[in-house]
Amino acid sequence: MGRILKALNGKPFGWPLGAVFDDIKDMKKVFIGSILMLCLVGCSGRDGDSSTDSDKPEPLLTRDQARKILWDLPEVAKWSDEVRDASGGKVIPVCKVERTPSDFESAGEKPAWIFKFDQSHKDRTILWQRFQVDAVSGDVSVWDPFKGKYIPLTVWRKELAFKRGLSSHN
């Protein structure tokens, strides 16, 4: 080892490194500084890094957040009050999860929550309506059994208003 150091002018790394760094500590500082600079440049999203904030998945609504969106709909609140009032409190409006966002993602579909609203009687349960809540945007769709698909809440409201208008003329 001694001969090697003598051949390298007494410096542990020889020329040019031996001339630049007097000891290992200086070299470690430069090495660590270089790594930090690479990390900062590499993580900043510049210099060829095409990832952006829009590439990151948006956080999904929790079950409780999606459920609250539905219970806050005036139509759901009205239905709930009507069910309780008509039965004297014996029939209970119930909201149950049918599908979760992970069910949709595993099928390659847009993540959503599907809830069904039932009237829970002592001896039976009666379905009132199914709702889909987009797990990213919170947009609400309503199941249309005649079309066999979910329709936007605004369309459902128009259809509901039309049906109520027809029933009030009879």
Side-chain angles (χ1 to χ4, degrees):
M1 181 76 164
R3 274 202 243 162
I4 295 172
L5 286 177
K6 241 183 205 182
L8 297 173
N9 296 328
K11 303 290 184 190
F13 296 101
W15 190 87
L17 296 176
V20 176
F21 303 110
D22 287 332
D23 62 14
I24 299 262
K25 287 182 183 178
D26 287 341
M27 187 168 177
K28 282 183 182 177
K29 290 177 188 175
V30 171
F31 178 74
I32 291 171
S34 300
I35 296 296
L36 288 173
M37 288 301 290
L38 286 172
C39 287
L40 290 174
V41 170
C43 295
S44 69
R46 297 184 194 145
D47 296 333
D49 184 5
S50 63
S51 67
T52 63
D53 288 339
S54 63
D55 292 341
K56 296 176 185 171
E58 295 185 46
L60 300 180
L61 292 174
T62 64
R63 182 191 65 196
D64 290 338
Q65 290 170 325
R67 181 180 283 150
K68 182 175 179 352
I69 288 171
L70 296 177
W71 278 110
D72 287 348
L73 294 174
E75 296 87 354
V76 173
K78 182 179 178 185
W79 166 78
S80 175
D81 291 343
E82 288 173 355
V83 167
R84 288 181 190 274
D85 292 345
S87 69
K90 294 179 183 176
V91 177
I92 301 168
V94 179
C95 174
K96 296 179 185 175
V97 173
E98 283 194 317
R99 291 184 71 191
T100 67
S102 60
D103 296 334
F104 285 92
E105 288 175 325
S106 64
E109 299 172 295
K110 191 174 181 180
W113 288 95
I114 301 255
F115 293 91
K116 70 176 189 172
F117 283 81
D118 297 323
Q119 298 175 19
S120 179
H121 295 256
K122 185 177 182 181
D123 57 344
R124 67 191 182 284
T125 301
I126 301 172
L127 174 67
W128 172 63
Q129 194 54 268
R130 282 188 170 90
F131 292 92
Q132 177 176 299
V133 179
D134 184 301
V136 176
S137 68
D139 291 339
V140 176
S141 298
V142 185
W143 178 252
D144 185 327
F146 299 106
K147 294 178 183 172
K149 65 180 185 177
Y150 285 91
I151 60 173
L153 180 64
T154 54
V155 173
W156 179 70
R157 283 178 169 161
K158 287 177 186 174
E159 290 178 2
L160 197 61
F162 179 75
K163 289 175 189 173
R164 286 184 180 154
L166 285 179
S167 65
S168 66
H169 292 339
N170 293 337

